Amino acid sequence: MTGGDVAGVKPAPASPPPPLDWKFSQVFGERTAGEEVQEVDIISAIEFDKSGDHLATGDRGGRVVLFERTDNKEQGGSRKDLEKTDYPRTRHPEFRYKTEFQSHEPEFDYLKSLEIEEKINKIRWCQTANGALFLLSTNDKTIKYWKVQEKKIKKVADLNVDPLKAVGNGSIASSSISSVSNLSNTANGEYKDKSSTSLNKDFSAGAIQSLRLPLVVTSNETNLVARCRRVYAHAHDYHINSISNNSDGETFISADDLRINLWNLEISNQSFNIVDVKPANMEDLTEVITSAEFHPTHCNTLAYSSSKGSIRLIDQRQSALCDRHSKLFEEHESPGSRSFFTEIIASISDIKFSRDGRYILSRDYMTLKLWDINMDSGPVSTFQVHEYLRPRLCDLYENDSIFDKFECCLSGDGKRVATGSYSNLFRVFGSSPNSTEDTTLEASKNPMRRQVQQTPARSLSSSLTRVVRRGGESPGNDTTLDFTTKLLHLAWHPTENSIACAAANSLYMYYA
């Protein structure tokens, strides 16, 4: 009992935080009216680093673009000094373009007659060292470890010809050409120099003194250089869908449809297979791995999701091959509600741990679900994202939209969750108990135009475990939705209420 509690009386539950007022911050790569988007420019991955001072995006053209925060640098001082003031709450975060580099190129596997796209599937930041930035990027088959740092530019300060002693226009070049032309081919194949006598006279006259060695000096100007430190290849038979760094700073995992491999950052020629769900007979295959992520603080724990809508938590201390899970999180559908689309819409496209590691957020086609890792009986909260599309599942199946893989993210304090939708919309929900926060925003072509709708959500069910369902209302008339524009990728700033989201080739930033 705390000092303020009265004997026998439980304290009232804390009220949920008020809904945030989201505002547009900035946009990179905004399209002009009527401009067509090139396929290679479409953003396919977004990731903040742990400090939130750097943001990385990857696109379908295999490029990685880095942005750095500038508003805290303009104020001077360190981030810790800024956090002591109200500055981070009075001005919105501002980022600027830092650099970009070509991470992956299109390849062709001749043994399997398979074309490998250069598209960046995932980006993950690694620990910084000596002012250099480190990150992992992957396409379908190959993972690369990049180091980005500033290096001083070296320049040639002097030419190798003394201009005071140079004769004519290009005396060194002309003398070289004349010496070559004076070489004649003899009958026995040997070369004889006709001008050897004249050259000796030039050397004796001191003409060689006009040649000077180039002098290379380091200037004060710096240039960002991206260098590939490691290439982790030939370890996956299927497309890589996830990479995740371990909290130990030394290892990471990569996952494809059937296997999860464990790598050491410093060793690129071998990996350890820790999860293998491939059956002896492929006809017996019933589910595949869709996403995998390490626990943010426990280096021995990781979670992976499947196409059947389940999440498995595994402990690497139990065995080297983690085929047996320590916990299983899944929600069973009632038999009467099953249909042809049940398994398709139940497939989890993305999972994220909360910053403290207590919760796991999962996204399937219809919903967001928040799971408590200490309670595997069911999700503690379910947020309806696409419930209004249920009558149109047949059409969505015909145009393949039902297979779209939307990502999800949590705020640093764990009080809110977010995910994307169609027509470049994204939705923010309050995850606190009894919260009714449900905000819909549009990453539009006109950045100053916002569409925010805050609709009190209805609680459809509740129990002692505080299981609630929120949302479900359509963000607009579903007939006006554009299924060709979809907001699949977004990321939440680790310490502030700021969201970066990708709408085709444009990167939009919002803050609250």
Side-chain angles (χ1 to χ4, degrees):
M1 184 187 304
T2 60
D5 293 342
V6 180
V9 179
K10 293 183 179 180
S15 58
L20 295 176
D21 181 22
W22 290 93
K23 298 181 178 66
F24 169 81
S25 175
Q26 58 189 141
V27 60
F28 296 95
E30 185 186 10
R31 287 173 289 169
T32 59
E35 180 183 358
E36 293 186 4
V37 179
Q38 300 296 322
E39 182 78 11
V40 294
D41 294 331
I42 295 178
I43 298 174
S44 57
I46 301 178
E47 184 78 5
F48 279 104
D49 69 348
K50 286 186 177 181
S51 68
D53 289 338
H54 293 92
L55 175 67
T57 65
D59 61 27
R60 296 187 181 181
R63 293 163 297 190
V64 173
V65 183
L66 303 185
F67 302 88
E68 67 174 349
R69 188 164 180 175
T70 58
D71 54 316
N72 51 13
K73 292 183 179 181
E74 293 172 359
Q75 296 291 320
S78 64
R79 169 168 289 277
K80 292 184 178 179
D81 296 333
L82 293 171
E83 289 174 351
K84 296 177 183 177
T85 68
D86 63 349
Y87 163 67
R89 294 185 293 274
T90 58
R91 286 192 59 187
H92 65 84
E94 294 179 0
F95 286 80
R96 71 177 178 187
Y97 169 87
K98 187 178 180 71
T99 188
E100 68 178 88
F101 56 90
Q102 189 71 32
S103 175
H104 288 73
E105 300 280 356
E107 303 173 31
F108 189 82
D109 189 338
Y110 293 96
L111 296 178
K112 298 181 179 180
S113 296
L114 181 66
E115 186 177 355
I116 304 172
E117 294 182 350
E118 65 271 32
K119 170 177 169 268
I120 304 295
N121 290 341
K122 293 289 181 181
I123 295 175
R124 290 292 180 264
W125 289 92
C126 303
Q127 294 180 350
T128 59
N130 299 325
L133 304 175
F134 296 87
L135 50 87
L136 291 167
S137 63
T138 182
N139 64 353
D140 288 339
K141 295 292 183 181
T142 305
I143 308 163
K144 293 186 179 182
Y145 183 42
W146 291 91
K147 177 182 181 180
V148 182
Q149 67 177 152
E150 289 188 352
K151 287 193 173 183
K152 291 187 176 181
I153 300 175
K154 293 183 178 180
K155 295 183 177 180
V156 177
D158 205 346
L159 298 176
N160 64 336
V161 179
D162 189 345
L164 297 178
K165 296 185 179 180
V167 180
N169 49 355
S171 60
I172 299 298
S174 60
S175 64
S176 301
I177 296 173
S178 62
S179 62
V180 173
S181 61
N182 287 330
L183 294 176
S184 61
N185 191 0
T186 60
N188 58 3
E190 295 180 355
Y191 288 92
K192 183 178 180 181
D193 190 353
K194 298 179 180 178
S195 62
S196 58
T197 307
S198 61
L199 282 176
N200 290 334
K201 292 181 180 179
D202 291 340
F203 291 156
S204 61
I208 195 64
Q209 295 178 0
S210 64
L211 292 175
R212 306 176 67 187
L213 292 176
L215 179 62
V216 180
V217 296
T218 303
S219 66
N220 292 327
E221 299 179 19
T222 59
N223 189 23
L224 279 169
V225 178
R227 185 165 64 93
C228 185
R229 294 284 305 275
R230 302 277 189 279
V231 177
Y232 314 91
H234 312 298
H236 288 277
D237 293 331
Y238 304 92
H239 291 176
I240 299 172
N241 55 50
S242 302
I243 52 175
S244 179
N245 294 318
N246 199 345
S247 58
D248 61 10
E250 298 179 357
T251 57
F252 71 94
I253 56 171
S254 59
D256 63 20
D257 292 342
L258 299 179
R259 291 187 177 93
I260 299 178
N261 293 334
L262 178 68
W263 301 83
N264 188 298
L265 281 170
E266 300 300 323
I267 302 173
S268 60
N269 58 359
Q270 69 174 359
S271 63
F272 298 94
N273 178 231
I274 58 175
V275 175
D276 189 350
V277 300
K278 184 178 182 180
N281 185 358
M282 285 296 286
E283 294 181 357
D284 299 329
L285 182 67
T286 58
E287 63 180 334
V288 296
I289 299 170
T290 56
S291 182
E293 184 165 297
F294 260 118
H295 191 280
T297 56
H298 298 166
C299 61
N300 57 281
T301 304
L302 60 99
Y304 69 91
S305 60
S306 78
S307 57
K308 278 193 170 182
S310 61
I311 302 173
R312 290 172 172 84
L313 198 69
I314 60 178
D315 191 339
Q316 295 182 89
R317 297 173 297 184
Q318 294 180 350
S319 63
L321 187 60
C322 306
D323 284 342
R324 295 184 178 181
H325 53 268
S326 58
K327 285 188 179 180
L328 175 65
F329 306 94
E330 60 182 351
E331 188 177 30
H332 296 284
E333 288 279 344
S334 57
S337 63
R338 293 187 62 84
S339 68
F340 172 79
F341 305 107
T342 298
E343 289 193 6
I344 300 176
I345 62 177
S347 177
I348 295 176
S349 56
D350 189 27
I351 60 172
K352 291 286 193 310
F353 274 99
S354 61
R355 195 176 184 187
D356 59 4
R358 172 71 183 273
Y359 298 96
I360 298 176
L361 181 67
S362 66
R363 171 69 204 266
D364 55 47
Y365 188 75
M366 304 297 287
T367 64
L368 272 175
K369 293 178 181 177
L370 191 65
W371 308 79
D372 188 333
I373 65 172
N374 297 324
M375 189 186 77
D376 53 6
S377 59
V380 294
S381 296
T382 301
F383 310 94
Q384 303 293 341
V385 181
H386 281 164
E387 184 63 29
Y388 60 93
L389 294 177
R390 192 174 292 275
R392 302 186 59 181
L393 290 181
C394 223
D395 297 334
L396 296 168
Y397 178 80
E398 290 294 331
N399 61 22
D400 288 339
S401 294
I402 200 171
F403 300 106
D404 289 333
K405 300 183 184 302
F406 292 93
E407 294 180 358
C408 58
C409 58
L410 298 93
S411 61
D413 56 12
K415 295 180 180 179
R416 294 171 180 86
V417 297
T419 190
S421 182
Y422 294 104
S423 294
N424 290 337
L425 300 176
F426 68 98
R427 304 182 69 180
V428 181
F429 300 93
S431 59
S432 303
N434 304 319
S435 174
T436 59
E437 183 174 357
D438 179 2
T439 305
T440 301
L441 299 103
E442 179 185 0
S444 60
K445 296 179 181 178
N446 180 0
M448 302 311 295
R449 176 167 58 88
R450 270 190 313 128
Q451 291 184 5
V452 180
Q453 297 180 3
Q454 295 180 355
T455 308
R458 296 173 295 178
S459 179
L460 302 181
S461 62
S462 61
S463 66
L464 296 178
T465 58
R466 296 185 284 104
V467 176
V468 296
R469 292 178 180 268
R470 307 198 187 103
E473 289 78 10
S474 167
N477 184 1
D478 65 309
T479 59
T480 63
L481 289 178
D482 182 4
F483 294 102
T484 61
T485 58
K486 47 197 119 178
L487 200 150
L488 301 177
H489 312 285
L490 75 170
W492 201 302
H493 191 282
T495 59
E496 300 176 8
N497 288 320
S498 176
I499 293 179
C501 52
N505 66 323
S506 303
L507 177 67
Y508 288 88
M509 310 284 291
Y510 288 83
Y511 75 102

